[in-house]
Amino acid sequence: MLTPIFDPTFSDHSFGFRPKRSAHQAVEWARQAIADGRAWAVDVDLDSFFDRVQHDALMGRVARRVHDKQVLALIRAYLEAGVMADGVRQPTEEGTPQGPRSHRCFPISCLTTLTTSSTGVGSASRATPMT
C-alpha cells in the first residue's frame, strides 16, 4: 500500500529491499559503471540499521508523504508494538519490525540521504575504487 508512495522517491541506484530489484542487478549496474568509465562504487554497510531507526525521525519522514492521521497512528502503533522476549512483551523505542510482513519502505526512506543523486553523490561508510 505504501510502496507506490515511497519507492519513486528512492534513487535509481538503490537496490536493497525494493520490489523487482536484486543484488544481481546491483552487481550488473556496477559492471556497467566500470564499462562506462566511472571510477568509484559506493558500498554502504547497513549493519543493524533497521534496529536503530529512530521512531520520531522516521514518522517525520513518513508524515511528509502520508497525510491521513489514522494511517500515521497505525504506523506509529506498528513501530511501538514491542517485541516478545521469553514470553514477555518488551517495548521498542527505536528500530523497525523486521521479517516478511514488515514494510521496508519506512526505514529505506531514511536512506535517501545516502543516495542523493544519480551521480552517486552522498555519504557512505566505505567507498571502494573500481579500478
Side-chain angles (χ1 to χ4, degrees), residues 49 51-59 79 93-95 110:
F49 172 78
D51 296 336
R52 296 184 179 132
V53 172
Q54 299 295 316
H55 291 172
D56 289 339
L58 177 58
M59 289 302 301
L79 290 172
E93 296 177 13
E94 65 180 5
C110 293

Side-chain angles (χ1 to χ4, degrees), residues 28-52:
E28 184 54 38
W29 182 88
R31 285 184 181 153
Q32 186 60 49
I34 292 168
D36 292 344
R38 294 189 192 205
W40 292 88
V42 178
D43 175 21
V44 180
D45 183 2
L46 299 178
D47 182 43
S48 299
F49 172 78
F50 294 103
D51 296 336
R52 296 184 179 132

